[in-house]
Amino acid sequence: MIVKKVELHNFRNYENLELSFDSSRNVFIGENAQGKTNLIEGIYLCAFARSFRTQNSANMIMLDRPRASVTVDLVSEDMDKSISVILDRTGKKMIKKDGKVIRKTAELLNNLVVMVFSPEDLRIIKDSPEKRRNFINKELSQIRPRYYECLRLYSEALRQKNSMLKDNLKNSKIDENMLDIYDLQLAKYGTEIVKYRRNFIRMLSERAAEIQKSISGGREDLEIRYLCSLSEENQYDALVAARDRDLYSGHSSLGPQRDDMEFLINGKDAKKYGSQGQHRTIALALKLAEIGIARDVIGENPVLLLDDVLSELDEERQTFLFQEIEDVQLFITTTDVNNRILKKMPKGNVYSVKSGTVFKNTLK
C-alpha cells in the first residue's frame, strides 16, 4: 500500500497544498508548530475519517474558513484509489472514495491502512487499561471491519444499559425486560469482540516476542497476555449473574470495556519491574508486529506514520526501526534527524517544513 499524493485545502495551517511522496521514506523536518504533524494527520483522516489528535473535527479547519478538505491518492492491491474527507464547522463530514460518497465509516476502513507511532505509544505499558484497549480497537478495526461494526453496536447497547442503570439509582425503577434485551445484545457482540481480540493478541505476542528477542540480543523473552472479564462462552449468563451488583453500582461491571493486556519480560510483569528502555523496546516491538499482522490479513503492507518519535529512541532502536521496516512506506516527522540514520536511507525524500510551507529535497 503506497500513498502517492495528498491535497490539503484549509486544513490546519495549510491553505492549499499538493504534495507527492516517495514510495519508501518521507522525512519531514522542522521546528514544533510548523505543520509537520498536520501532514500525517491528513493522511490518517482519510484512513479513519477522524483525527488521532482531536475529537473535534472543527479544530482541523483553518481559522475563519467554513470547511476543509483532504484528498489522498494511493495504490492498493495494484489499483489506484482516491479518498477524500470534507469537514465543516457544524461537525459534519463527507467521505468519498473514487468520487462516490461513502455513508458509513465501516465502508472506508481497509481501503487505506495506516499505523501511527508516536511518543504516547511508548508509554503504553505504564498507561491506563483504557489506552491499551484503544490500541487494540484502533488496529483491529482497520484490518477487520466486522470488528469495528461489533464494537460500534456493543458500545451503543452498553451506553443504553448504563443510562438505565444510572437512572435506577435515582428513582429505583428498572425495566427488567429492556435490561434483558441489552444484555442479550452485549453478549452477542461481546462474544465476537473477545474472539477477535484473543486471536489478535495471540498473533501480536508471537511476533512481538521474536522482535523483542532480536532487539535485546536474545536476552529478553516477551509474552503478551489478554486479560478479559468475560470469556467467549456464556457471556449472557455472566451478565445476568452480575445484575444485582450492576444495579447497586449504576454501571455494567463486566465485558470488553473492562479488558486489558499484560506484558511479561522473562516471566515478570513489565509494568512493575521493567525498565524505561524495556518499555520502549516493547512498544517498538508491538508496532513492528502490527505491521506483520496487517500484511498477513490484508495481503499487503500498511503505511507507517512516525510522529516525532525518533527523539524518544536511542540510535540503536532508531536503526533497528529503519532496518526492520524497509519494505513499508514511512512518513516521519522530527525536529532533527541523525545523519547516520539518513545515510542508511538509499531511497526517499527529505522535506523542510516551516509555517505551513514544505520544501522537498530528494536523497542522493
Side-chain angles (χ1 to χ4, degrees), residues 9-16 57-58 60-69 87-90:
H9 299 290
N10 298 329
F11 183 80
R12 294 288 190 180
N13 65 334
Y14 292 100
E15 184 174 14
N16 288 291
S57 60
M60 293 182 276
I61 303 174
M62 182 177 279
L63 290 176
D64 302 323
R65 303 299 166 88
R67 64 188 58 84
S69 68
L87 311 169
D88 70 31
R89 291 205 173 274
T90 66

Side-chain angles (χ1 to χ4, degrees), residues 51-112:
S51 169
F52 63 90
R53 304 164 72 192
T54 178
Q55 298 294 320
N56 186 354
S57 60
N59 292 340
M60 293 182 276
I61 303 174
M62 182 177 279
L63 290 176
D64 302 323
R65 303 299 166 88
R67 64 188 58 84
S69 68
V70 179
T71 298
V72 166
D73 293 339
L74 66 140
V75 178
S76 175
E77 298 176 334
D78 297 325
M79 295 177 59
D80 288 333
K81 298 180 182 181
S82 180
I83 298 173
S84 299
V85 179
I86 301 164
L87 311 169
D88 70 31
R89 291 205 173 274
T90 66
K92 293 181 179 179
K93 299 174 188 173
M94 179 182 289
I95 308 168
K96 293 183 178 181
K97 177 189 172 186
D98 299 329
K100 296 182 179 180
V101 175
I102 292 176
R103 301 296 180 185
K104 296 181 179 180
T105 301
E107 297 175 32
L108 174 65
L109 300 174
N110 208 242
N111 283 285
L112 170 59

Side-chain angles (χ1 to χ4, degrees), residues 16-144:
N16 288 291
L17 177 70
E18 182 176 325
L19 199 59
S20 297
F21 301 116
D22 186 83
S23 61
S24 178
R25 303 286 189 268
N26 298 276
V27 183
F28 301 92
I29 303 174
E31 298 299 322
N32 293 325
Q34 301 302 303
K36 303 186 304 297
T37 298
N38 298 344
L39 288 164
I40 63 173
E41 181 184 31
I43 295 172
Y44 186 95
L45 178 68
C46 288
F48 283 97
R50 60 182 175 84
S51 169
F52 63 90
R53 304 164 72 192
T54 178
Q55 298 294 320
N56 186 354
S57 60
N59 292 340
M60 293 182 276
I61 303 174
M62 182 177 279
L63 290 176
D64 302 323
R65 303 299 166 88
R67 64 188 58 84
S69 68
V70 179
T71 298
V72 166
D73 293 339
L74 66 140
V75 178
S76 175
E77 298 176 334
D78 297 325
M79 295 177 59
D80 288 333
K81 298 180 182 181
S82 180
I83 298 173
S84 299
V85 179
I86 301 164
L87 311 169
D88 70 31
R89 291 205 173 274
T90 66
K92 293 181 179 179
K93 299 174 188 173
M94 179 182 289
I95 308 168
K96 293 183 178 181
K97 177 189 172 186
D98 299 329
K100 296 182 179 180
V101 175
I102 292 176
R103 301 296 180 185
K104 296 181 179 180
T105 301
E107 297 175 32
L108 174 65
L109 300 174
N110 208 242
N111 283 285
L112 170 59
V113 179
V114 302
M115 295 180 177
V116 175
F117 191 27
S118 68
E120 185 174 294
D121 293 312
L122 293 168
R123 296 188 289 272
I124 189 171
I125 314 303
K126 285 287 191 181
D127 268 339
S128 66
E130 181 183 10
K131 293 289 183 66
R132 288 185 286 276
R133 287 193 298 271
N134 288 341
F135 160 81
I136 297 170
N137 292 339
K138 182 173 64 176
E139 308 309 339
L140 255 178
S141 291
Q142 279 203 104
I143 61 176
R144 299 291 192 189

